[in-house]
Amino acid sequence: MSNIMIKIKNLTKSYSTFAGKVAVLRGIDLEVQSGEFLAIMGASGSGKSTLMNILGCLDAPSGGIYELNGVNVQNLNKNALASFRNHIIGFVFQGFNLLQRMTLVDNIALPLVYAGIPREQRNERANAMLIKVGLEGYGTYRPNQISGGQQQRVAIARALINHPKLILADEPTGNLDTKTSQEIMELFSELNITDGITVILVTHELDIAQYARHIIHVKDGQINFREPTKRMKEIEK
Amino acid sequence: MIWFMLREAFDAMIANRMRSFLTMLGMMIGVGAVIVMSAIGTGAQDVVEKSISSMGSNLFIVLSGSTTSGGARMGSGATPTLTLSDAEAIAELPSIGAVAPIAPGTAQVVYGANNWSTTIIGSTPSALIVRNWELESGYAFTDADVRGATRVAIVGQTIVENLFKDEDPIGKMIRIKQAPYQIVGVLTKKGQSLDGRDQDDTILVPVTTAQRKLFGSQFKGTVRLIMVQAISAEQMDETEKAMMELLHQRHRIRDNAEDDFSIRNLAAMAAAAADTAEVMSLMLGAIASISLLVGGIGIMNIMLVSVTERTREIGIRIAIGAQERDILLQFLLEALMISLIGSLIGILLGVGGALIAERFFSMSVIFTSQSILSAFGVAAMVGIFFGFYPALKAAKMVPIDALRYQ
């Protein structure tokens, strides 16, 4: 298998509104190597969120080719896409998106429920993941009993639970203070370097983006330019 | 997985206690009403059936039919065509309770200095069962007496009054058409029949005795009529059909030929009354079912609210890999749980309510496992039916829209 995680060619996305067709993505070409840590930056309305949704198989492109992990995603039906999101991709959202009714362990284990993993195994893996994100002993807490930073750690644990190849983080630090943001970004960095997980991050904060290896700038539905981060430059040195 | 989903459904139900309870209330009232109504309906039906059967119900009378002799059609019963063996064959049919061949006649009866003209009925011991008639004293003659055509008799109260006065007639010999008969039993008083005939003015003898020794007939072995009692009112139609077929066969009647017998259903009136009771029972059930329907709509309503409220949650689930059927199942289970718990409580309420009706309003109530199971089954179906649309709505959500929902 090639070590190319994502291959995008001439990807377009447009919405029809009553005012006519609005093109959000206008021909994106992108290749992401396995093990990459990529930050996507851009102003609001630049199309970076739409791109993220398409990358996450939550939205379908209007045109172009999107290959994820060697599979042409357009050929997959709804159920196959769900399975893909379950097994290949881990999501981290700005608003954490934990289920308030459930304990942290159940939240983390939820993807495993949909993967059909038996209960004992689910709990065992969820507890292990809780330790990995530094929240040992918090298993029976509920999301509203812990801080935002801790909630985001739980969300990351949930994203990691089914051993994904790709983590998609949509402004994961948008709701967090600077210090906590740094901690969360350190965690991503560690996952990328130690575990070799490909991470794609959407942010509009340059210092957050600096945790990545490369940054792409999206403007008006196209990739404006791509550059290595300071950190990458340091690693390369 | 299913356990996890059940627990989730339960948690979701608990999370909105009041709302879940109110939704359940609809189901409780619906199921409770169905149970109460059907218990009262079935009870009323039973009362009607019991009072009918005490009159001697489920009866058929098989009569010799008209025959055609040289172009002249004879009236019904003019030529006896029914035989003892017809009666025996009918008795072999399933769903037959008792069969009594009847060979009647009139004769002068003498005891000592007294004499009396009365109706002599030649029959079998089954006649007592068919006519719902009990013995006051003595015993009934037996099938052996019928086989042996012995001279034994069971007498009615009018006979006792006219021949014996204060004497005990059991064991006494009377003379019927000069021949001696021993009295083995005395019938209880039955009074007048509906047409004013004195039913107690009768003597019962074995049918064979009547045929061979009392009333010699040019048609050997024939009887005037056969009384047939079906096991139950429900089996009347079936029984009539079977008898029809049997007699066609035995009398070798071709399909287009006229029957030489006729079957009269004495249960027609009984059936009409039972039908009325049943219609009432159905009406009660139907009215109660409407509240079940309303309960179902309540479930649909609340599930739609719940799905809308939890749009974001659904989006999260879809994003992390829930398939359409996972979401569908989750919301369906929730609806089902509400309706099933509601209907379980409803069953308790219904049974309780019906028992109260029985105790304080002295209504006759009967619970059938059928009515309880069907109320439960219908409730489950209501849950699935009315839960399906909201669940489908949840399952078909577009993940990005759902995730963006505030």
Side-chain angles (χ1 to χ4, degrees), chain A residues 26-203:
Chain A
R26 298 186 294 180
I28 300 246
D29 292 307
L30 180 65
E31 230 169 64
V32 179
Q33 303 286 317
S34 196
E36 170 70 291
F37 189 165
L38 185 70
I40 301 176
M41 295 195 73
S44 315
S46 60
K48 61 182 193 304
S49 285
T50 304
L51 177 59
M52 199 66 164
N53 285 335
I54 291 173
L55 287 175
C57 303
L58 293 170
D59 201 358
S62 307
I65 293 168
Y66 172 29
E67 276 179 21
L68 174 57
N69 201 31
V71 177
N72 190 341
V73 172
Q74 276 110 310
N75 296 335
L76 299 178
N77 65 17
K78 238 178 150 181
N79 283 340
L81 284 176
S83 166
F84 225 63
R85 289 195 296 269
N86 190 257
H87 290 97
I88 310 283
I89 306 171
F91 289 95
V92 179
F93 305 93
Q94 178 175 4
F96 321 134
N97 279 345
L98 299 175
L99 299 187
Q100 299 299 324
R101 249 185 290 112
M102 291 186 182
T103 62
L104 300 188
V105 163
D106 283 345
N107 261 293
I108 294 171
L110 195 57
L112 297 182
V113 171
Y114 297 124
I117 308 281
R119 187 161 173 254
E120 292 80 32
Q121 227 175 312
R122 286 201 309 258
N123 286 347
E124 195 180 307
R125 279 166 67 176
N127 277 312
M129 206 48 80
L130 208 52
I131 296 167
K132 189 180 172 83
V133 296
L135 286 172
E136 190 174 1
Y138 281 81
T140 56
Y141 283 53
R142 278 165 213 275
N144 58 8
Q145 295 170 305
I146 58 176
S147 72
Q150 287 170 323
Q151 287 191 50
Q152 195 58 299
R153 285 171 183 275
V154 172
I156 292 170
R158 180 179 66 188
L160 291 173
I161 191 80
N162 214 8
H163 309 306
K165 295 207 161 67
L166 172 67
I167 294 266
L168 293 176
D170 193 355
E171 309 224 17
T173 59
N175 287 7
L176 302 174
D177 60 55
T178 315
K179 188 170 168 292
T180 319
S181 295
Q182 283 167 1
E183 286 168 13
I184 292 295
M185 289 319 295
E186 290 294 344
L187 185 55
F188 278 121
S189 191
E190 186 194 319
L191 290 172
N192 176 249
I193 293 165
T194 317
D195 300 329
I197 299 171
T198 311
V199 180
I200 297 181
L201 167 81
V202 166
T203 183

Side-chain angles (χ1 to χ4, degrees), chain B residues 122-189:
Chain B
S123 191
T124 59
S126 306
L128 300 176
I129 302 168
V130 170
R131 301 218 39 207
N132 209 6
W133 215 346
E134 304 205 331
L135 287 177
E136 189 186 74
S137 61
Y139 58 90
F141 55 78
T142 62
D143 288 328
D145 290 315
V146 173
R147 275 196 298 279
T150 53
R151 288 197 166 98
V152 288
I154 302 172
V155 296
Q157 288 292 333
T158 307
I159 307 297
V160 176
E161 280 161 32
N162 285 293
L163 293 183
F164 295 95
K165 307 283 189 299
D166 300 325
E167 263 182 275
D168 179 12
I170 300 290
K172 302 282 165 19
M173 301 296 280
I174 51 170
R175 300 179 78 81
I176 309 174
K177 281 195 174 175
Q178 320 309 330
Y181 285 78
Q182 185 176 35
I183 294 174
V184 293
V186 177
L187 293 164
T188 51
K189 197 169 178 65

Side-chain angles (χ1 to χ4, degrees), chain B residues 51 58 119 122 220 259 292 320 344:
Chain B
S51 62
N58 308 340
T119 311
K220 286 245 158 33
D259 291 344
L292 208 56
I320 64 174
L344 271 179

Side-chain angles (χ1 to χ4, degrees), chain B residues 28 34 37 52 62 67 122 167 236 265 292 295 299 308 325 353 359 367 386 406:
Chain B
M28 284 181 216
V34 169
M37 292 304 179
I52 289 166
V62 186
T67 49
E167 263 182 275
M236 291 293 278
N265 188 341
L292 208 56
I299 289 183
T308 308
R325 65 181 153 84
R359 194 177 165 89
F367 301 105
F386 288 101
Q406 289 303 317

